[in-house]
């Protein structure tokens, strides 16, 4: 598949802290297989932060979504909690705190955001970030 053709993967995960490692390794494999190795380290970090938030702060299932389109990689995590994520703080003030993971996402991604989701009576949110290939 040429690098410029769009693609998308979704990995559904249980509410289990081991899911973060599964998501990281799956994301690395996807990017390697699509020839996007140059984005792998940053994407893996961002994906792990998003999935970690979904698993740590909600009680239900979650999902990792990875999409490539027009030279932009979008990584997102869905969870069943419709409440907005905590706004990111300043990265330098967090030190090694377990909270404030979105500050790392904000600092490393080209763009990030979140949106509430409702489909077939299910509610939740989708927190995403983007990395440009160039």
């Amino acid at each position: 598949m040429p690098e410029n053709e769009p693609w998308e993967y979704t990995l559904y995960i249980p509410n289990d802290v081991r899911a973060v490692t599964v998501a990281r390794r799956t994301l690395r494999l996807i990017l390697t297989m699509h020839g996007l190795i140059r984005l792998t380290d940053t994407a893996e970090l961002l994906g792990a932060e998003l999935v970690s938030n979904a698993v740590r702060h909600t009680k239900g299932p979650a999902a990792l979504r990875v999409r490539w389109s027009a030279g932009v990689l979008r990584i997102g995590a869905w969870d069943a909690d419709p409440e907005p994520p905590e706004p990111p703080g300043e990265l330098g003030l967090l030190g090694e705190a377990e909270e404030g993971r979105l500050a790392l996402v904000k600092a490393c991604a080209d763009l990030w955001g979140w949106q509430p989701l409702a489909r077939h009576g299910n509610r939740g949110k989708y927190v995403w970030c983007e990395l440009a290939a160039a």
Side-chain angles (χ1 to χ4, degrees):
M1 177 177 282
E3 187 177 303
N4 57 355
E5 287 196 31
W7 49 261
E8 182 174 316
Y9 293 88
T10 302
L11 174 67
Y12 293 94
I13 55 177
N15 189 280
D16 182 338
V17 295
R18 294 172 291 195
V20 177
T21 300
V22 171
R24 283 181 81 121
R25 291 183 179 166
T26 301
L27 183 54
R28 178 171 285 276
L29 179 61
I30 291 168
L31 296 179
T32 299
M33 296 304 295
H34 282 281
L36 296 170
I37 295 171
R38 67 191 177 281
L39 298 178
T40 302
D41 290 338
T42 304
E44 191 176 13
L45 172 69
L46 295 173
E49 295 302 312
L50 294 176
V51 170
S52 180
N53 271 351
V55 170
R56 293 174 63 119
H57 299 294
T58 65
K59 295 184 189 309
L64 170 70
R65 181 179 287 163
V66 185
R67 184 179 77 194
W68 173 259
S69 181
V72 175
L73 181 69
R74 178 175 275 202
I75 305 162
W78 166 84
D79 65 57
D81 183 0
E83 292 299 312
E86 290 290 322
E90 292 298 318
L91 186 60
L93 300 176
L94 296 176
E96 294 187 28
E98 286 295 316
E99 301 301 315
R101 293 179 180 273
L102 284 180
L104 185 60
V105 171
K106 180 181 172 185
C108 295
D110 295 319
L111 189 63
W112 82 277
W114 78 279
Q115 60 199 62
L117 296 177
R119 185 178 293 169
H120 308 296
N122 297 322
R123 297 178 54 193
K125 68 177 167 296
Y126 181 64
V127 182
W128 54 268
C129 63
E130 292 182 347
L131 293 172

